[in-house]
């Protein structure tokens, strides 16, 4: 059988309180774990390593359900591995979150009537550090509430000294290898945050806009284009058509007049143009559209910027100084006055990018920025998965990964912010450009200045798996804990954070990928499967549920919904159900302790055990094997469900109940069952611990007297199976279940006792007669016993005397009335479903509802008929 990791001491005599109150135990238990150093990791240990990095939450953030979900899964993995004897490191830390943090501090300054420019760069950055020290990191305390078993002594911050050195080191290496360069390209620009932002920081939503068709040129040399952004026409430098479009071949190469300006622009032929879309002609604005920029590059077109960083029109003329939206209306009005508006469609719903931080509409903008040449880095990231060095789980997500890394564009890494890692490049008075490494002195003297931009936050977080371990120094931690064992993260950032870590890890660590496995999970949604959003009013603060039901209840609910790569619906009713499960574990363990369940001494030999004892131990070892297999496959929902049904159904509802008569009878059989029950609870609590750590810690230490279940040994499948015992108890369960169903059908109260004769002679069930009678409230047959109902179940006959218990005449009358109602319902449903006129007009959901009523009526008729057949004549 399974053994404990520590030699258990006799269970203490202290009884458990009658009720489990999470708030009274969770906080103090967690602090005890931290104080005892259970979550720390020793790089000098000779244990095999198991490493997971936390996806670093923003320093501005607070715990939301997505965090709670992801952290629960990681914590379950690391707690199990710790119990299995691995030197386990769950690396904590936070991201400096450039834009988000700068916005927070700027808002604080705004309350004082100041801007960052009033302070100046150095003082503003100092103010951000001050804010970080006072208000940042709120999420750390909330992670403790959840029970995160992270190595707090190793906590890192993407702007701390060591990680800053790592950032400067890899920038220098990439620059020297010509994988970082500076160029003018189209980027996502936020006119409110005044910076370039990454693709992941752009949120797309359907907005009501307008589609305006405008006529360019005059006479025979006219062409119609359509746009949702009329204000950009001031920067048009061409009109493009498809080379094979017969409608425009006569215009290709000619110059046509651009309205509202004194410029003429060429008509160019480009295969990018779809001749079937709209008029088949598109305006080309290279400075304000990424596709137009590419067309401009192919045809040598000039790029004319007509907006400044605030999205205010800078082009000469009457529109100068107008905001882009004001200019849009003014330009359309001016074109209309000239008779150049051919068509206007309002509203025109189309997808528009918004800044995820401030919700401002993004403006594509031509800008001089720093870029990573991702070609060779992305190829290595793709090959690592193709070659099997890194496994993506679930495997079907591999295609999405390849679709991304195989088609990556160069990555814009510069941001026009003050908070972040400053780009380590200096410019000299004679146009010199010098990139400075962490151990080099920057150039000084008159005219030298550092690049004002900072790096994209994803640049530093892409180094997370190795920078947190001391890289570029060759530390003991780096040697021990790199690469990570698994990365647990949402599929939504597969393309961004995951791909960047893969590229940087392979580059910096000599071809060694940052992790062996990428385990992808879905997003948490509300109980109806709807995305959680403040605008929908369905956002839940997980702290509220933890306050109300306990952290274990929230964790178990989240884990039980976690199928790989699939979104997770969650509702408060489910958390309440998990709280009930925690209470069930508590009450069952309390009952077991009161009845002498023990872990003291070895398990008795199987020959001394009852079939009930052998059955539960056989099932226990099967569950150990199943749970291990599910963990290895990241099937958190399946392992949680297996533990739920084993603990609640098999241990508490069957084994404990079947054993009560044994406990009451006393003797050797009772002593054996007490030891078996102690073993089953010990192993079950250890299996449950990674998912529900708090309640299991309290119960396991009380049951075993051990120091902590956190450092207890993970159960192993001993190989013990007893198919005969499983079949025997399966038959007992069938008999009890069938008789219970019959009692319920006849309207008997659960506690109502009924005389019964059990024909068990020669059956293996004879040994269970006392338990069967107790569970079914069946009293022995006495004088005058009359079998008014006989139930043959699984080769066993159960005869019941219901006289004096049931008024058979009244019961027949009641059932006959219910049967008539069910038959009437069936007739009505059949009449509607047989009416072709009705079926032709009724909506599908109405027809489906009637079909459901028919099915229910058929089921009711079958059930009531069976009850009547079993009921004796009055």
């Amino acid at each position: 059988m399974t053994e404990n990791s520590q030699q258990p001491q006799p269970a203490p005599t202290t009884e458990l309180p009658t009720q489990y109150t999470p708030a009274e135990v969770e906080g103090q238990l967690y602090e005890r774990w931290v104080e005892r150093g259970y979550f720390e990791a020793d790089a000098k240990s000779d244990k095999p390593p198991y490493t997971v990095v936390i996806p670093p939450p923003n320093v501005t953030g607070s715990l939301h359900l997505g965090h709670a979900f992801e952290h629960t899964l990681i914590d379950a993995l690391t707690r199990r591995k710790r119990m299995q004897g691995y030197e386990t490191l769950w690396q904590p830390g936070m991201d400096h979150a450039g834009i988000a943090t700068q916005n927070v501090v700027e808002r604080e300054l705004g309350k004082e009537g100041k801007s960052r420019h009033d302070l100046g760069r150095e003082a503003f950055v100092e103010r951000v550090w001050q804010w970080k020290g006072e208000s940042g990191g709120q999420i750390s305390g909330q992670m403790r509430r959840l029970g995160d078993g992270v190595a707090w002594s190793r906590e890192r911050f993407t702007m701390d000294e060591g990680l800053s050195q790592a950032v400067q080191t890899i920038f220098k290496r990439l620059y020297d290898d010509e994988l970082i360069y500076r160029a003018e390209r189209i980027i996502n620009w936020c006119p409110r945050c005044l910076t370039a932002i990454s693709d992941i920081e752009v949120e797309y939503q359907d907005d009501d806009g307008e589609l305006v068709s405008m006529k360019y040129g005059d006479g025979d040399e006219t062409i119609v284009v359509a746009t949702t952004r009329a204000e950009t026409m001031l920067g048009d430098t061409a009109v493009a058509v498809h080379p094979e479009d017969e409608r425009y071949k006569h215009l290709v190469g000619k110059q046509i007049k651009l309205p509202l300006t004194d410029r003429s622009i060429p008509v160019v032929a480009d295969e990018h143009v779809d001749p079937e879309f709209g008029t088949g002609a598109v305006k080309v604005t290279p400075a304000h559209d990424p596709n137009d920029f590419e067309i401009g590059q192919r045809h040598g077109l000039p790029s004319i910027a007509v907006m400044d960083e605030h999205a205010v029109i800078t082009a000469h003329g009457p529109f100068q100084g107008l905001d882009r939206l004001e200019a849009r209306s003014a330009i359309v009005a001016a074109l209309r006055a000239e008779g150049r508006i051919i068509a206007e469609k309002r509203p025109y719903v189309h997808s528009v990018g918004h800044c995820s931080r401030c919700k401002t509409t993004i403006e594509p903008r031509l800008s001089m920025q720093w870029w990573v040449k991702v070609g060779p880095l992305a190829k290595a990231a793709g090959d690592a998965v193709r070659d099997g060095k890194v496994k993506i789980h679930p495997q079907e997500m591999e295609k999405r990964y390849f679709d991304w890394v195989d088609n990556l564009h160069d990555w814009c890494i510069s941001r026009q912010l003050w908070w972040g890692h400053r780009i380590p490049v200096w410019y000299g008075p004679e146009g010199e450009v010098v990139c400075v490494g962490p151990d080099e002195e920057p150039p000084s003297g008159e005219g030298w200045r550092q690049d004002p931009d900072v790096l994209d936050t994803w640049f530093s977080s892409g180094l997370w798996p190795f920078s947190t371990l001391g890289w570029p120094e060759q530390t003991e931690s780096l040697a021990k804990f790199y690469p990570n064992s698994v990365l647990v993260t949402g599929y939504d950032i597969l393309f961004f954070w995951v791909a960047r870590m893969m590229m940087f890890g392979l580059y910096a660590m000599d071809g060694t990928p940052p992790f062996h496995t990428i385990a992808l999970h879905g997003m948490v949604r509300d109980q109806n499967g709807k995305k959680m959003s403040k605008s929908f009013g369905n956002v839940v603060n997980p702290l509220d549920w933890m306050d109300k039901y306990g952290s274990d209840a929230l964790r178990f609910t989240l884990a039980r919904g976690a199928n790989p790569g699939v979104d997770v619906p969650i509702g408060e009713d489910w958390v309440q159900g998990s709280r009930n499960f925690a209470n069930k574990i508590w009450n069952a363990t309390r009952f077991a302790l009161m009845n002498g369940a023990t872990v003291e001494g070895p398990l008795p030999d199987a020959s001394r055990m009852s079939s009930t004892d052998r059955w539960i131990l056989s099932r226990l070892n099967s569950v150990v094997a199943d749970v291990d297999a599910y963990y290895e496959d990241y099937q958190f929902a399946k392992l949680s469900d297996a533990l739920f049904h084993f603990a609640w159904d098999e241990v508490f509802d069957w084994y404990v109940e079947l054993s009560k008569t044994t406990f009451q009878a006393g003797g050797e059989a009772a002593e054996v069952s007490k030891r078996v029950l102690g073993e089953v609870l010990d192993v079950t609590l250890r299996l449950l611990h990674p998912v529900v750590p708090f309640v299991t810690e309290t119960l396991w230490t009380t049951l075993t007297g051990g120091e902590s279940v956190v450092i207890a040994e993970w159960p192993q499948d001993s190989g013990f199976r007893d198919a005969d015992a499983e079949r025997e108890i399966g038959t007992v369960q069938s008999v009890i279940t069938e008789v219970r169903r019959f009692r319920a059908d006849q309207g008997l109260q659960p506690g109502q006792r009924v005389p019964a004769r059990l024909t068990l002679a020669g059956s293996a069930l004879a040994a269970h007669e006392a338990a069967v009678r107790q569970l079914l409230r069946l009293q022995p047959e006495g004088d005058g016993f009359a079998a008014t109902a006989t139930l043959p179940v699984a080769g066993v006959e159960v005869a019941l005397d219901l006289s004096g218990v049931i008024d058979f005449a009244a019961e027949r009358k009641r059932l006959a009335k219910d049967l008539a109602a069910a038959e009437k319902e069936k007739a009505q449903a059949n009449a509607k479903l047989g009416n072709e006129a009705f079926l032709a007009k009724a909506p599908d959901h109405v027809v489906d509802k009637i079909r459901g009523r028919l099915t229910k009526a058929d089921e009711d008729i079958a059930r009531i008929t069976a009850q009547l057949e079993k009921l004796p004549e009055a």
Side-chain angles (χ1 to χ4, degrees):
M1 300 301 161
T2 52
E3 298 290 340
N4 294 326
S5 63
Q6 309 152 41
Q7 290 300 320
Q9 306 161 15
T13 56
T14 305
E15 293 185 358
L16 290 168
T18 55
Q19 287 186 325
Y20 175 53
T21 308
E24 294 180 1
V25 299
E26 291 181 349
Q28 61 182 348
L29 282 183
Y30 187 83
E31 291 309 315
R32 186 187 309 159
W33 294 333
V34 172
E35 288 167 6
R36 293 179 178 179
Y38 293 156
F39 304 139
E40 296 302 324
D42 183 3
K44 294 183 171 64
S45 167
D46 58 1
K47 296 178 182 178
Y50 186 81
T51 316
V52 184
V53 293
I54 194 171
N58 288 352
V59 68
T60 60
S62 60
L63 191 74
H64 56 64
L65 271 179
H67 288 129
F69 173 54
E70 187 166 83
H71 290 201
T72 294
L73 305 187
I74 300 173
D75 197 40
L77 290 174
T78 53
R79 283 180 183 269
R80 171 174 174 263
K81 285 296 183 181
R82 190 178 292 111
M83 295 171 76
Q84 287 182 314
Y86 286 78
E87 194 62 36
T88 302
L89 170 61
W90 183 9
Q91 173 70 58
M94 285 184 293
D95 192 288
H96 65 278
I99 294 177
T101 306
Q102 179 157 319
N103 281 349
V104 167
V105 178
E106 285 197 82
R107 282 196 296 270
E108 292 295 316
L109 285 175
K111 295 175 184 176
E112 303 170 15
K114 297 178 182 178
S115 73
R116 60 184 165 115
H117 299 285
D118 294 323
L119 271 65
R121 183 167 194 147
E122 187 174 335
F124 175 77
V125 170
E126 182 63 33
R127 179 70 175 261
V128 179
W129 277 108
Q130 179 184 340
W131 175 88
K132 190 261 181 185
E134 295 172 355
S135 306
Q138 175 186 355
I139 198 170
S140 296
Q142 295 167 344
M143 288 165 56
R144 293 171 182 263
R145 282 286 313 278
L146 190 65
D148 286 4
V150 299
W152 288 112
S153 69
R154 291 174 172 265
E155 187 173 13
R156 302 304 298 269
F157 180 55
T158 50
M159 287 279 286
D160 69 28
E161 184 177 351
L163 269 64
S164 295
Q165 183 183 24
V167 167
Q168 195 170 352
T169 299
I170 201 163
F171 187 100
K172 171 69 172 174
R173 291 187 186 179
L174 289 165
Y175 181 87
D176 289 346
D177 287 344
E178 298 183 348
L179 293 173
I180 281 183
Y181 64 94
R182 192 169 183 244
E184 196 173 42
R185 299 273 181 84
I186 292 284
I187 45 86
N188 301 309
W189 181 264
C190 176
R192 156 60 184 81
C193 298
L194 299 181
T195 181
I197 64 174
S198 65
D199 291 337
I200 198 172
E201 291 163 326
V202 179
E203 292 180 348
Y204 287 91
Q205 66 183 49
D206 286 342
D207 286 357
D208 286 344
E210 60 182 7
L211 182 66
V212 180
S213 298
M214 310 177 292
K215 182 175 66 174
Y216 286 10
D218 294 302
D220 293 335
E221 297 181 355
T222 62
I223 197 164
V224 175
V225 298
T227 182
T228 58
R229 302 170 66 221
E231 68 278 9
T232 63
M233 60 85 59
L234 298 175
D236 287 358
T237 56
V239 171
V241 298
H242 193 274
E244 303 302 320
D245 194 330
E246 294 292 337
R247 294 171 295 176
Y248 303 118
K249 277 192 173 182
H250 68 288
L251 291 177
V252 173
K254 293 188 175 181
Q255 296 279 329
I256 60 173
K257 181 171 175 53
L258 179 66
L260 308 182
T261 72
D262 57 0
R263 292 190 291 115
S264 292
I265 57 175
V267 177
V268 298
D270 194 281
E271 292 188 352
H272 169 79
V273 179
D274 179 2
E276 302 299 322
F277 182 77
T279 64
V282 296
K283 59 192 287 298
V284 181
T285 321
H288 293 281
D289 183 276
N291 294 322
D292 293 2
F293 179 80
E294 297 297 330
I295 294 175
Q297 293 290 296
R298 288 193 289 271
H299 296 277
L301 301 174
S303 296
I304 301 175
V306 296
M307 280 181 246
D308 66 12
E309 60 187 8
H310 297 279
V312 171
I313 300 297
T314 58
H316 295 298
F319 312 108
Q320 187 172 6
L322 295 179
D323 171 83
R324 56 182 165 168
L325 299 182
E326 296 171 335
R328 181 176 302 169
S329 299
I331 287 171
V332 171
L335 290 168
R336 190 184 300 113
E338 290 190 4
R340 292 189 174 274
I341 298 297
I342 304 302
E344 298 178 70
K345 185 176 181 180
R346 296 187 186 87
Y348 178 73
V349 179
H350 62 133
S351 181
V352 177
H354 296 260
C355 174
S356 63
R357 303 299 177 190
C358 68
K359 311 309 177 188
T360 302
T361 300
I362 290 302
E363 189 63 45
R365 184 169 189 251
L366 186 63
S367 179
M368 181 67 75
Q369 303 284 346
W370 285 94
W371 304 80
V372 171
K373 184 180 179 181
V374 299
L377 302 174
K379 182 181 184 303
D383 290 345
V385 175
R386 288 189 174 92
D387 297 344
K389 291 181 181 177
V390 178
K391 297 187 184 307
I392 293 179
H393 191 278
Q395 190 174 2
E396 54 264 28
M397 288 285 183
E398 281 187 2
K399 183 180 183 302
R400 296 179 67 179
Y401 176 79
F402 292 136
D403 286 346
W404 180 258
V405 297
D406 293 347
N407 297 285
L408 268 179
H409 298 294
D410 285 359
W411 170 22
C412 175
I413 56 171
S414 46
R415 299 290 179 266
Q416 290 64 56
L417 303 171
W418 286 357
W419 173 244
H421 295 283
R422 188 91 173 260
I423 288 178
V425 171
W426 272 255
Y427 305 109
E430 303 301 324
E432 304 96 328
V433 179
V434 177
C435 181
V436 177
D439 300 322
E440 300 172 348
E441 288 293 325
S444 59
E446 187 176 349
W448 282 94
R449 60 185 179 85
Q450 186 177 359
D451 193 297
D453 290 352
V454 300
L455 288 163
D456 178 12
T457 299
W458 294 101
F459 190 94
S460 52
S461 59
L463 315 180
W464 193 247
F466 52 94
S467 64
T468 52
L469 298 173
W471 186 90
E473 300 299 323
Q474 298 304 306
T475 64
E476 286 183 321
S477 290
L478 188 64
K480 177 75 174 180
F481 295 114
Y482 186 90
N484 283 203
S485 305
V486 62
L487 172 73
V488 179
T489 192
Y491 63 70
D492 57 320
I493 57 173
L494 172 64
F495 315 129
F496 303 103
W497 186 46
V498 179
R500 283 151 172 69
M501 285 191 291
M502 286 285 283
M503 291 191 295
F504 281 167
L506 289 161
Y507 174 78
M509 299 301 293
D510 300 320
T512 302
F515 17 74
H516 297 302
T517 301
I518 302 168
L520 298 169
H521 58 73
M523 315 304 294
V524 179
R525 296 180 177 271
D526 71 12
Q527 62 190 31
N528 299 313
K530 193 173 184 179
K531 179 181 178 180
M532 287 193 173
S533 167
K534 290 180 181 178
S535 61
F536 296 152
N538 61 352
V539 173
V540 174
N541 183 346
L543 297 172
D544 293 340
W545 281 351
M546 287 192 280
D547 289 341
K548 194 170 183 180
Y549 303 111
S551 298
D552 283 335
L554 176 65
R555 289 171 61 115
F556 192 74
T557 305
L558 291 166
R560 204 173 176 194
N563 291 296
V566 179
D567 288 347
V568 183
I570 184 172
E572 185 169 0
D573 288 350
W574 305 338
V575 184
Q576 186 173 353
S578 296
R579 190 271 313 274
N580 295 343
F581 179 51
N583 288 342
K584 184 78 171 181
I585 302 169
W586 182 273
N587 292 333
T589 305
R590 185 170 177 271
F591 167 85
L593 289 169
M594 291 171 63
N595 283 273
T598 180
V599 296
E600 189 175 2
L603 273 172
D605 188 78
S607 62
R608 296 174 56 201
M609 296 179 188
S610 68
S611 57
T612 308
D613 294 332
R614 296 195 306 276
W615 161 71
I616 197 63
L617 289 173
S618 180
R619 288 293 305 125
L620 175 68
N621 280 285
S622 293
V623 169
V624 170
D626 289 344
V627 168
D628 274 333
Y630 290 142
Y631 263 115
E632 295 305 314
D633 200 33
Y634 304 98
Q635 297 280 0
F636 296 98
K638 289 183 178 179
L639 72 90
S640 299
D641 214 47
L643 287 170
F644 174 87
H645 288 294
F646 176 70
W648 191 307
D649 300 343
E650 298 186 85
V651 179
F652 306 147
D653 281 358
W654 283 112
Y655 180 71
V656 169
E657 294 300 322
L658 288 170
S659 300
K660 281 182 178 178
T661 54
T662 305
F663 293 147
Q664 290 164 1
E668 182 185 358
E671 295 306 311
V672 170
S673 291
K674 289 174 184 178
R675 180 63 186 90
V676 170
L677 178 55
E679 179 75 7
V680 171
L681 285 174
D682 167 25
V683 173
T684 302
L685 290 170
R686 282 187 276 150
L687 289 173
L688 281 165
H689 172 72
V691 181
V692 285
F694 294 107
V695 68
T696 52
E697 171 79 343
T698 304
L699 296 176
W700 188 86
T701 53
T702 303
L703 172 70
T704 68
E707 180 185 337
S708 172
V709 70
V710 176
I711 54 173
E713 183 178 323
W714 181 254
Q716 296 182 19
D717 174 12
S718 70
F720 177 81
R721 300 290 190 279
D722 193 323
D724 290 338
E726 291 197 34
R727 278 192 295 272
E728 181 177 319
I729 301 303
T731 303
V732 173
Q733 291 171 325
S734 296
V735 170
I736 293 172
T737 300
E738 185 59 30
V739 176
R740 279 177 173 166
R741 183 181 296 116
F742 177 77
R743 286 176 58 107
D745 287 345
Q746 303 309 316
L748 293 177
Q749 295 300 312
Q752 193 168 0
R753 305 194 70 81
V754 178
R757 178 193 302 132
L758 275 63
T759 308
L760 302 174
S763 165
L765 270 64
H768 303 281
E769 180 169 353
V772 170
R773 284 187 176 276
Q774 180 167 308
L775 289 172
L776 289 173
R777 304 296 189 268
L778 302 179
Q779 62 193 43
E781 57 187 293
D783 294 339
F785 176 84
T788 57
T790 302
L791 304 175
V793 186
V796 174
E797 190 173 274
V798 180
L800 304 174
D801 183 355
L802 302 177
S803 57
V805 178
I806 295 177
D807 182 337
F808 296 127
E811 185 64 11
R812 279 192 169 277
K813 185 176 180 181
R814 182 185 70 82
L815 290 174
K817 183 178 179 182
D818 290 347
L819 181 61
E823 288 173 337
K824 181 179 179 182
E825 176 75 0
K826 178 178 181 178
Q828 289 175 343
N830 273 328
K832 286 190 176 182
L833 293 174
N835 185 334
E836 293 186 6
F838 169 78
L839 293 177
K841 295 179 181 179
D844 289 344
H845 73 275
V846 172
V847 175
D848 289 342
K849 185 176 181 180
I850 293 171
R851 288 193 178 117
R853 285 167 50 191
L854 177 60
T855 301
K856 175 70 164 52
D858 282 334
E859 292 171 351
D860 288 345
I861 290 169
R863 175 179 55 81
I864 296 167
T865 301
Q867 288 177 244
L868 283 166
E869 289 173 353
K870 292 178 182 178
L871 202 63
E873 295 295 333

